[in-house]
Amino acid sequence: SIRLLPPSAAAHLMLAMKAPAPAAPAMGASERWSWFDRQPEKKKLRARERLDALQMVLALQQACTGKVYAMQLAAQATGVALSTLYEWDALIQDVPRPDWLPHLCPAHGGGRGSAECSPEAWDAIRVDYLRAERPNFTACYRRLQGLAAQEGWTIPPERTLHRRMMAIPEAQRVLKREGPDALRRLFPAQQRDRGVFHALEAVNADGHTWDVFVKWPDGTIGRPSMVGFQDLYSGKVLSWRVDQTLSWHGVRLAFGDVVERYGIPSLCWLDNGREFAAKRITGGQANRYRFKVKDEEPEGLLTALGVEVHWTQPYHGQSKPIERAWRDFAQDIAKHPAFAGAYTGNSPTAKPHNYGSTAVPLETFLRVIGEGIAEHNARTGRKSGTAAGRSFDVTFAESYERSPIRMAAPEQRRLWLLAAEAVRVRKQDGQIHLYGNRYWSQDLHAHLGATVTVRFDPDALSDPLHVYATDGRYLGAAEAQEMAGFNSVADAQKQARIVKQFMRSTKESADAQLRMSVADLVRKLPQIEAAEPPEAKIVRPFIAGNTALQPLPREDVDEELDPFEAALARGRVERGSHLRVVDDD
């Protein structure tokens, strides 16, 4: 101790001692535990060994032994040097008992300091490496070596710089090298519970292009597109329509199939594609992302049926559960044996070796697709929260039976059919010709030669057409007229019965309009008597070949002559084959 020295020596020693550096502020208990959690397991194990030794000292002290004797016994039992045990004990002085463990953890760092690197060199390699082209780190380091030799920078070995680069947070490196979409994938997706819905309460839709070559009826070959609607509660695919390209026509027909078979959903999640955002589909929805929303625009199909539309994020499959079904279809259905040789692969680099060797007829394609989707809905063992091992069909049916369902009125069911404008009703018989088919209804006789609008399903041309006037009035349904075999007696007899029934019903209807007979009408007509002819008082004779006779003066005519002779004499009558009055007198 300095107090054992003579006063002059003690003063000299105190002046020679340097002032101690200010101690770093002590960490709080929470900060100490947080620091302890970040340490490697090897350091944590050494801290537990120290804690066990000090706990033995504490237990021996409580057994009425002195601290010095307790320290000696503990050092002998654990094999730890007595001085080391005292050093550990100093680490926990004035520390609460529950916080001993983090204070006993070794706090030393690495053995060597970091290698020297010029700040400019570090900035240069970070700019080179953290860019969208995603260059290799070795190539970046070679460029840095040339730049460092030119600028006189100091750089560490490649492994050291690579270790520093990897110490940059993963999210920052992914953002700079792979972009925002990759960064978004690093964030865990939100798990959404579909059990908040019931069957048909909410649906979602999307388009899908098949990786199969199909031969269409007109001879063209291409990859067909499909629009599908899926129930969000159960995961069941409710409807689908296939066409050469995605269009609002397919969306309207596919949604019409949902309403026709099951009912009207309340909510619908749609992709922001042009076919879904078309005015005929979602016109009037205030939150549409495409096109301008105008007050005078007509209501779309979903708006007219009272369906609330929600739009999903573009190119974000997690917001559209139906994308999961598309993935299953691409694996299970697109690679069906019936499509051998017609499968195209899911990317230009994944073409099979028999690429383009054949094309599937449209009828075969539709049959296989229908069977595949039915099997997809009926497959058991589904692991979703609502299915719980059951199939999509069973899950949907169970909830559908006990849920309030909005059904469409017959008039609403015609809203989703395609409209063909400017179709003329034939003057001869009232038929409508459309796509090689003939349709007729007796109601069309009132509109012979008129231009009408018809609504129809292009995939079911044998169904009746719904006919509307140009001002929107519904005129009725026209049945399809089937073509009969030229030598079919049965078809001829059936046609004869139909014509006979038509004529009979028309006759009965026409007769029902007449409340009296023709004889009754004749009896009720008034009797009209013929008027007496007036007497001609002035006549003149007509003599053939002499039309310039001068009439005699009235006083020179003999009054005893016959009246005709007297008139002839006065020149008022001409001789000939008839008499005509030439003067009112």
Side-chain angles (χ1 to χ4, degrees):
S1 173
I2 194 172
R3 290 175 294 179
L4 300 177
L5 300 176
S8 58
H12 181 75
L13 183 60
M14 291 179 63
L15 290 175
M17 293 174 59
K18 295 182 179 179
M27 289 188 293
S30 61
E31 295 177 353
R32 175 69 69 173
W33 279 105
S34 177
W35 169 84
F36 178 76
D37 286 340
R38 295 193 299 269
Q39 301 309 306
E41 187 62 30
K42 186 177 181 180
K43 286 187 176 184
K44 293 180 180 178
L45 180 60
R46 295 184 62 184
R48 294 188 184 96
E49 292 174 352
R50 295 177 179 184
L51 180 62
D52 292 340
L54 293 179
Q55 284 179 336
M56 182 182 296
V57 173
L58 184 61
L60 290 173
Q61 283 186 269
Q62 293 175 351
C64 299
T65 60
K67 183 176 182 180
V68 175
Y69 187 58
M71 295 285 281
Q72 293 175 353
L73 292 178
Q76 184 179 2
T78 58
V80 178
L82 184 60
S83 59
T84 303
L85 201 58
Y86 273 104
E87 291 176 0
W88 295 351
D89 183 66
L91 295 175
I92 58 172
Q93 292 299 318
D94 301 326
V95 176
R97 170 66 187 82
D99 297 331
W100 282 7
L101 183 60
H103 284 78
L104 293 172
C105 182
H108 57 78
R112 295 184 300 173
S114 59
E116 183 180 358
C117 179
S118 299
E120 297 84 356
W122 176 236
D123 292 340
I125 195 169
R126 278 189 301 179
V127 169
D128 192 7
Y129 182 75
L130 299 177
R131 51 193 173 94
E133 291 74 18
R134 301 167 64 181
N136 184 274
F137 186 83
T138 300
C140 296
Y141 187 77
R142 285 199 303 266
R143 284 190 289 269
L144 178 64
Q145 285 178 317
L147 187 60
Q150 174 183 330
E151 300 292 336
W153 296 339
T154 301
I155 59 173
E158 179 182 351
R159 291 180 58 185
T160 303
L161 270 185
H162 183 267
R163 189 164 51 249
R164 289 188 187 181
M165 190 69 70
M166 294 301 104
I168 296 176
E170 176 76 11
Q172 298 179 16
R173 287 189 282 112
V174 169
L175 174 62
K176 291 297 184 180
R177 288 173 63 87
E178 302 180 33
D181 292 337
L183 177 63
R184 187 180 295 110
R185 288 193 294 269
L186 286 181
F187 198 87
Q190 184 182 38
Q191 187 174 5
R192 296 181 291 177
D193 181 18
R194 296 193 231 166
V196 298
F197 301 126
H198 61 73
L200 202 67
E201 181 180 2
V203 298
N204 73 125
D206 195 19
H208 175 67
T209 300
W210 288 91
D211 301 325
V212 179
F213 279 140
V214 171
K215 185 175 183 180
W216 298 90
D218 59 359
T220 60
I221 296 176
R223 297 167 60 198
S225 298
M226 184 175 77
V227 174
F229 279 82
Q230 180 195 45
D231 177 56
L232 279 178
Y233 170 78
S234 63
K236 178 178 180 178
V237 178
L238 301 177
S239 68
W240 53 276
R241 288 283 181 142
V242 173
D243 204 347
Q244 290 181 322
T245 58
L246 292 176
S247 65
W248 65 270
H249 302 284
V251 176
R252 181 160 69 172
L253 292 172
F255 183 78
D257 292 340
V258 174
V259 179
E260 185 74 28
R261 298 170 187 170
Y262 305 104
I264 304 175
S266 301
L267 305 170
C268 184
W269 272 259
L270 295 177
D271 184 78
N272 196 35
R274 299 179 66 89
E275 60 275 4
F276 294 102
K279 294 181 182 295
R280 294 178 177 88
I281 302 298
T282 54
Q285 297 281 343
N287 58 344
R288 208 166 76 242
Y289 296 157
R290 286 185 181 267
F291 310 109
K292 292 183 179 180
V293 179
K294 301 180 181 178
D295 295 335
E296 65 272 13
E297 74 178 10
E299 284 189 339
L301 173 61
L302 273 66
T303 309
L305 293 176
V307 180
E308 181 181 341
V309 175
H310 298 266
W311 303 98
T312 60
Q313 298 182 27
Y315 307 105
H316 192 249
Q318 295 174 347
S319 59
K320 295 174 291 185
I322 198 172
E323 291 276 8
R324 180 66 173 81
W326 293 160
R327 189 178 72 179
D328 289 346
F329 293 171
Q331 181 64 31
D332 301 338
I333 304 179
K335 298 181 180 180
H336 192 276
F339 300 158
Y343 179 68
T344 65
N346 58 2
S347 70
T349 60
K351 296 179 181 179
H353 66 86
N354 60 348
Y355 175 84
S357 59
T358 186
V360 181
L362 179 61
E363 296 78 7
T364 304
F365 176 77
L366 295 178
R367 176 181 58 81
V368 175
I369 293 300
E371 294 173 355
I373 294 178
E375 189 276 334
H376 172 84
N377 290 332
R379 191 186 312 156
T380 59
R382 297 297 185 177
K383 298 179 181 180
S384 64
T386 54
R390 301 172 298 175
S391 67
F392 293 153
D393 281 336
V394 174
T395 305
F396 179 83
E398 181 181 355
S399 177
Y400 186 84
E401 293 175 355
R402 50 183 173 83
S403 301
I405 305 298
R406 291 191 304 154
M407 303 304 295
E411 293 76 14
Q412 291 176 308
R413 295 177 181 178
R414 297 191 291 266
L415 293 176
W416 54 79
L417 298 178
L418 294 186
E421 300 178 356
V423 179
R424 186 173 297 278
V425 180
R426 288 168 56 90
K427 289 184 177 181
Q428 297 86 341
D429 49 15
Q431 285 192 112
I432 293 177
H433 290 194
L434 184 69
Y435 296 118
N437 298 315
R438 302 182 305 159
Y439 303 86
W440 179 81
S441 172
Q442 188 174 347
D443 298 332
L444 295 179
H445 284 164
H447 308 278
L448 297 177
T451 300
V452 296
T453 299
V454 297
R455 291 186 179 273
F456 63 97
D457 184 348
D459 291 339
L461 292 176
S462 60
D463 293 345
L465 291 180
H466 296 283
V467 187
Y468 293 80
T470 54
D471 59 0
R473 291 180 295 110
Y474 182 62
L475 303 180
E479 298 287 342
Q481 305 297 300
E482 297 180 359
M483 184 177 295
F486 188 85
N487 60 345
S488 175
V489 177
D491 291 340
Q493 293 175 346
K494 179 181 178 181
Q495 179 70 6
R497 288 193 300 268
I498 295 175
V499 173
K500 185 177 181 180
Q501 181 180 0
F502 164 71
M503 296 183 65
R504 183 189 305 112
S505 61
T506 304
K507 181 179 181 301
E508 293 174 354
S509 300
D511 292 342
Q513 301 293 331
L514 305 178
R515 297 181 178 274
M516 66 172 60
S517 63
V518 178
D520 294 336
L521 177 63
V522 172
R523 285 194 296 269
K524 290 181 177 295
L525 291 176
Q527 300 294 327
I528 300 177
E529 297 181 358
E532 293 293 337
E535 179 180 358
K537 296 181 179 181
I538 300 175
V539 298
R540 71 174 180 176
F542 174 77
I543 302 175
N546 185 9
T547 59
L549 296 178
Q550 296 295 327
L552 296 176
R554 184 180 297 272
E555 58 273 10
D556 295 338
V557 177
D558 187 359
E559 297 295 340
E560 295 181 358
L561 293 176
D562 182 82
F564 176 77
E565 296 295 337
L568 185 63
R570 294 189 180 96
R572 302 301 184 186
V573 176
E574 299 175 351
R575 292 188 182 275
S577 60
H578 63 278
L579 299 176
R580 63 185 179 90
V581 178
V582 297
D583 195 339
D584 291 339
D585 293 337

